[in-house]
Amino acid sequence: MKVTRQTLPGRVFTVEEWQSLLVLDALLGRGRGDGVTVPVERGPLRGDLAAAAGRRMATSVMRFLVEGGGWRERVLLRGSRRVRARAWDAEAGRGFGLRFTEASRTLWLEGAEQLPAMVGQSRTDGIRRARKALQRMVPDQRTEVGDWVFFYLAYRSLGAFRLGDEDLAALRERLASQSPVALLLIGWSGRSRGELREILARLTHPETVRVLECIEDRLAGAWSQVARSLWSERAVATLAVRIERWAGFGRVLDAYLDAIDDAERLDLARPVMKFAAELMAGVFAVSAETLRAELSQSPGVASLQQRDALLAAVGSVAAVGARVFALRERMAAERYGDARYAESQVFLGDVDTLLGGQRRAVEGLARVLAGTIG
């Protein structure tokens, strides 16, 4: 006889079903990863359980979007029109839906079965077994916008499961590879700028772009945290790792601007502007010459080639602000009646409000790190 637990009036789950929901809550950042200590036995997926899990996913994703900036009214583009809207306004959300695929259900159910067994285990306890478990949780698959946010929530919540370092990194890598949202918020990738541009373009379609509109605040904050973390690692990480991470960060930022420019949605450049302003006030608050000298004397720099590689990598991040101003010059040429006129008016206003007063410093820093004269 199975023990049951009442969760809602008229709805009763078995112990195993309740445990699977506890794992889901942990993946969503709503519970403890050590709440379930044994693998959850898989049984037939009942409708009540699937519905409860679906509500948990949808509620957590919507909360993430609203709290990430969707609560705030701002100017957005809808075709050639400018509208003021919040996350819940019908006009702004027309065409958008939180579509989840089998990928989210697989992560939940396989996670309930696999994650408890992996707690405290190292790769030396069974490399092949661990690899298969990770592949079962996040197989190569088609994903949609709801999955993308869920995967990011899981990415940042996995630490609660006390996995071994290698398993944690491998699972996070698989999640990020199938979620443009995770990739963007993580702020780093080993992919080329062209590949990143194609991936991030998936977030600019009319049926998915609402996510970008709602996570503006989260993006700016996440990128600023990435920059602070990279800067704080300068005395502990190897030079090669630092160069790789700064360069990967720069490619993500450039690819994001590429994607929204291609989609004619430069009203979505506000996170880049906020990030660039934060860089100048925080990590890069010293003079450009002082920053260049400090980087040139970094631990591990033993040749001009290494110095130039580090300057170029850090410079690729610093240059994102200068690129915003270059886009401003181009968009300023749009005239009333032109295809991108409404977009240009929003973009120009945002640049002048959020970054305009720092143009000289932003462009000067990019030139100094690049070694450009004049």
Side-chain angles (χ1 to χ4, degrees), residues 153-212:
L153 294 177
Y155 180 100
R156 70 178 191 177
S157 302
L158 282 175
F161 289 90
R162 296 186 294 111
L163 303 178
D165 290 343
E166 291 184 46
D167 289 336
L168 177 61
L171 184 50
R172 281 179 165 169
E173 182 178 352
R174 292 192 69 83
L175 290 169
S177 71
Q178 297 188 36
S179 169
V181 172
L183 188 153
L184 198 54
L185 283 160
I186 294 164
W188 183 86
S189 174
R191 296 174 185 265
S192 71
R193 177 172 167 178
E195 290 174 313
L196 291 170
R197 183 177 190 164
E198 291 183 11
I199 293 169
L200 297 180
R202 300 178 67 189
L203 282 166
T204 64
H205 298 163
E207 64 273 15
T208 60
V209 75
R210 197 75 188 100
V211 169
L212 283 183

Side-chain angles (χ1 to χ4, degrees), residues 23-95:
V23 173
L24 176 59
D25 284 344
L27 288 170
L28 291 167
R30 297 169 44 164
R32 294 167 55 111
D34 56 1
V36 179
T37 57
V38 295
V40 179
E41 294 184 13
R42 293 276 295 275
L45 182 61
R46 295 190 303 113
D48 278 359
L49 180 60
R55 279 192 298 272
R56 278 169 158 80
M57 291 181 194
T59 299
S60 295
V61 169
M62 283 305 301
R63 179 177 297 169
F64 177 83
L65 296 179
V66 171
E67 294 177 354
W71 60 272
R72 184 164 46 82
E73 186 178 69
R74 85 283 308 276
V75 177
L76 304 169
L77 290 176
R78 286 297 176 266
S80 60
R81 297 182 301 110
R82 287 172 281 178
V83 301
R84 296 193 65 87
R86 295 182 174 87
W88 51 81
D89 293 339
E91 183 175 13
R94 187 174 294 116

Side-chain angles (χ1 to χ4, degrees), residues 128-334:
R128 183 175 299 177
R129 183 184 64 206
R131 185 181 297 120
K132 288 183 177 179
L134 298 178
Q135 290 174 343
R136 283 197 294 270
M137 279 186 277
V138 192
D140 295 331
Q141 60 209 314
R142 181 183 65 86
T143 54
E144 290 286 353
V145 65
D147 307 317
W148 301 343
V149 179
F150 175 35
F151 277 23
Y152 174 68
L153 294 177
Y155 180 100
R156 70 178 191 177
S157 302
L158 282 175
F161 289 90
R162 296 186 294 111
L163 303 178
D165 290 343
E166 291 184 46
D167 289 336
L168 177 61
L171 184 50
R172 281 179 165 169
E173 182 178 352
R174 292 192 69 83
L175 290 169
S177 71
Q178 297 188 36
S179 169
V181 172
L183 188 153
L184 198 54
L185 283 160
I186 294 164
W188 183 86
S189 174
R191 296 174 185 265
S192 71
R193 177 172 167 178
E195 290 174 313
L196 291 170
R197 183 177 190 164
E198 291 183 11
I199 293 169
L200 297 180
R202 300 178 67 189
L203 282 166
T204 64
H205 298 163
E207 64 273 15
T208 60
V209 75
R210 197 75 188 100
V211 169
L212 283 183
E213 294 170 347
C214 287
I215 63 172
E216 284 187 5
D217 296 346
R218 289 193 188 278
L219 277 179
W223 291 339
S224 293
Q225 181 57 49
V226 170
R228 288 191 293 269
S229 296
L230 290 177
W231 188 253
S232 68
E233 291 175 357
R234 64 189 183 280
V236 294
T238 66
L239 179 64
V241 167
R242 293 172 59 206
I243 291 172
E244 180 184 15
R245 290 178 178 172
W246 278 108
F249 187 20
R251 288 195 300 272
V252 169
L253 295 171
D254 273 329
Y256 178 71
L257 283 177
D258 290 341
I260 61 175
D261 188 22
D262 291 344
E264 300 186 358
R265 287 299 309 270
L266 287 177
D267 58 308
L268 299 173
R270 281 183 286 256
V272 179
M273 301 172 202
K274 293 177 182 178
F275 166 66
E278 173 63 23
L279 270 184
M280 303 307 296
V283 174
F284 297 161
V286 298
S287 71
E289 290 75 14
T290 299
L291 180 65
R292 181 183 174 91
E294 186 169 346
L295 288 170
S296 300
Q297 298 166 13
S298 291
V301 175
S303 68
L304 289 177
Q305 183 178 14
Q306 291 175 320
R307 182 205 66 180
D308 290 345
L310 179 59
L311 289 174
V314 178
S316 70
V317 174
V320 71
R323 186 177 171 194
V324 167
F325 287 114
L327 286 169
R328 188 197 184 287
E329 293 304 306
R330 196 187 79 200
M331 295 302 289
E334 293 289 315

